[in-house]
Amino acid sequence: AEHQHARYNPLRDDWVLVSAHRVKRPWQGQLEKPPPEDVPRWDPHNPLCPGATRANGEVNPQYKGTFVFPNDFPALQPDAPEPGDSDHPLFRAAAARGVCKVMCFHPWSDLTLPLMSLVEIRAVIDAWAELAAELGASYPWVQIFENKGAMMGCSNPHPHCQVWASSFLPNEARLEDRTQRQHLSQHGVPMLLEYAEQEARRKERLVVENADWLVVVPYWATWPYQTLLLPRRHVCRLQDLRDSERDSLASIMQRLLIKYDNLFEVSFPYSMGWHGAPTGPYLEEDCGHWQLHAHYYPPLLRSATVRKFMVGYEMLAQAQRDLTPEQAAERLRSLPEVHYK
């Protein structure tokens, strides 16, 4: 807690430098603008609102719950051509095909996930699982992710996420597939199942838990208040969750996200996403080395206006953090579970 040291991340096979004393240094850097508090509940000019017209001219239905539609500006398309052959091994290209969808969590623009009811959060989880199964029937990887807040590049305040299905395994998926496969081979137990059991026993990095799930600031966390959401049971994919586990997932997500908002009394920005076993052709293979999990990567460091920048040493050498994961977990754990609003 007092001296710098490096910690190993077995999931990514890399290291993070922990320099807890640096959080005491005075800050004279950039201050971020807090998110607006006066987001209108419905705006006819917001393309994610019910009844609004999107950029392609399509009109959204008057949806009452979740709403899924094809991304109007997709990063992946199903009919992309094959790239030409390379004339040198240093100049390689490969085909990249897929589909991109947008999912609105709720018809109201001013209602983020921590302010939604458990029934409404459960509907989001069911929609996630349905999309994961539907797109995963043919695509090897389905990435569900939410960018929340302008600080994380979100261009629209309406509560929503994106789902990108790809014809290939992205870098993070390939890396986690390799490390989890190696761990099972060497130790005879899925890495993140063993890790969840260890963290549940040690408790020093535990933030919230219930009968089916736990949330920790991982031992190897890079971002200041990064968390890892883990099931207690061995489960490979989101669509494999039992009905009761989906209910308890809604509960623990709400508890975590309320704590996040309460930390600096602001709608807490983050990027989050689900990682589970690959799909498509991998559905016929043994993926028992995988364990379903969700990553939350929030950028805030000291306050609602001071963020962590991953630049300089982090870009050119390795990740570095300014407070220990244990300190971050203790601060989150001690926060109330009633929203500050």
Side-chain angles (χ1 to χ4, degrees), residues 73 101 135 139 198 211 231 239 260 265 301 320 336:
F73 303 96
K101 294 182 179 291
L135 297 173
Y139 286 102
Q198 285 288 324
Q239 53 268 43
Y260 269 160
E265 294 195 350
L301 173 60
Q320 179 269 335

Side-chain angles (χ1 to χ4, degrees), residues 143-175:
Q143 184 59 65
I144 298 168
F145 65 98
E146 179 194 4
N147 294 326
K148 183 185 175 211
M151 202 179 299
M152 298 309 291
C154 183
S155 60
N156 193 308
H158 194 94
H160 71 286
C161 72
Q162 298 190 54
V163 184
W164 294 11
S166 61
S167 61
F168 55 90
L169 288 187
N171 293 341
E172 293 296 312
R174 286 190 292 109
L175 182 57

Side-chain angles (χ1 to χ4, degrees), residues 169-203:
L169 288 187
N171 293 341
E172 293 296 312
R174 286 190 292 109
L175 182 57
E176 289 194 2
D177 185 71
R178 174 176 65 81
T179 57
Q180 290 181 98
R181 189 184 298 274
Q182 288 174 345
H183 188 92
L184 180 63
S185 175
Q186 293 171 5
H187 302 281
V189 61
M191 178 198 296
L192 292 181
L193 182 64
E194 181 179 11
Y195 179 68
E197 292 170 349
Q198 285 288 324
E199 290 287 34
R201 181 173 61 82
R202 296 169 185 257
K203 296 192 181 303

